[in-house]
Amino acid sequence: EVQLVDSGGGSVLVGESLRLSCTVSGSVPEDSYMAWYRQAPGDACRLVSGISNDDTTYYANSVKGRFTISQDNAKNTVYLQMNNVKPNDTAMYFCAAVHAYIATLRPGCPSTGFGDWGQGTQVTVSS
């Protein structure tokens, strides 16, 4: 059984930084992507960033240049470094092991039947 545990969320001010972590236990299929999704109140579940086994990365336009995804295979952990955060980064963030990148998931995160998901970690950005 695959289990993902998200952590690192919190309340920060505009312009500050935060690092989210996702620790994975169990066997994730080799062709999986590790992804970070987020869902703000009233919004759909949206892909923020992803990384493949060969460290190829993906970023949504809204976070390019500010967020960095990385993975430490020895620690079975995926990170999302969030720099220069903005108020619209406020959301519940979910780590997921998925077989494809889908930009928007409805009705929301986590998505039943689509990969394995963490429990989510809240990020709140205030000015």
Side-chain angles (χ1 to χ4, degrees):
E1 180 183 2
V2 177
Q3 187 174 17
L4 284 68
V5 178
D6 308 328
S7 63
S11 296
V12 292
L13 299 176
V14 170
E16 291 187 337
S17 297
L18 204 61
R19 189 176 79 160
L20 307 184
S21 299
C22 171
T23 302
V24 183
S25 59
S27 296
V28 174
E30 282 194 9
D31 59 349
S32 294
Y33 300 92
M34 295 305 300
W36 286 97
Y37 279 82
R38 69 185 181 187
Q39 186 168 18
D43 197 8
C45 179
R46 300 192 185 278
L47 178 63
V48 174
S49 182
I51 188 166
S52 64
N53 273 339
D54 66 359
D55 289 334
T56 301
T57 57
Y58 164 88
Y59 297 98
N61 287 334
S62 59
V63 306
K64 275 182 184 176
R66 300 188 299 119
F67 290 11
T68 303
I69 191 170
S70 61
Q71 57 189 347
D72 184 336
N73 292 326
K75 295 182 179 179
N76 292 328
T77 301
V78 179
Y79 303 99
L80 185 68
Q81 178 67 41
M82 306 169 60
N83 295 333
N84 189 24
V85 296
K86 302 177 180 182
N88 60 6
D89 293 323
T90 295
M92 184 72 81
Y93 285 72
F94 295 83
C95 176
V98 295
H99 65 272
Y101 291 143
I102 297 179
T104 304
L105 297 170
R106 298 180 191 277
C109 309
S111 182
T112 304
F114 178 60
D116 296 290
W117 292 72
Q119 81 285 1
T121 186
Q122 176 69 38
V123 173
T124 302
V125 182
S126 57
S127 56

